[in-house]
Amino acid sequence: MQDDFRQKLALIVDLAGVSRSGLAREIGIDKSVVSRWVSGATRPSAASLDQLTAKLAGRVAGLRRSDWERPLDVIEAKFETSSLAR
């Protein structure tokens, strides 16, 4: 089974209304790292995933660290009618 982390990340970043470079800046990493995550070339380390989740959870109500391990369709359903945290 192909890893769909990149699709989950693209969805959550879109819901958060933040650019890849803005997200990288907020986390304190180079924007090329976020680009590699979104392209599927690499996945974040556990520590980076914790930081990523913490930053995005402030913008996407209900986002949890465990969501990254759920199937993509479950994530899509969970946030289908989600309102953004403001």
Side-chain angles (χ1 to χ4, degrees):
M1 180 168 95
Q2 182 176 342
D3 180 28
D4 57 2
F5 176 80
R6 64 186 183 88
Q7 293 169 296
K8 294 175 207 174
L9 180 58
L11 172 69
I12 299 299
V13 167
D14 186 50
L15 285 171
V18 65
S19 68
R20 294 174 192 178
S21 59
L23 180 59
R25 210 173 20 259
E26 287 184 31
I27 297 173
I29 59 174
D30 191 271
K31 65 183 178 181
S32 67
V33 175
V34 174
S35 291
R36 288 193 300 268
W37 294 344
V38 172
S39 73
T42 62
R43 278 191 68 142
S45 66
S48 292
L49 189 57
D50 288 343
Q51 284 184 301
L52 176 68
T53 303
K55 289 296 180 184
L56 291 173
R59 296 172 179 261
V60 179
L63 180 65
R64 304 283 179 263
R65 170 72 158 75
S66 60
D67 288 330
W68 300 111
E69 301 307 319
R70 299 179 190 275
L72 178 61
D73 61 334
V74 172
I75 301 301
E76 289 171 333
K78 178 177 180 174
F79 295 109
E80 183 176 52
T81 59
S82 173
S83 61
L84 299 180
R86 300 204 191 263

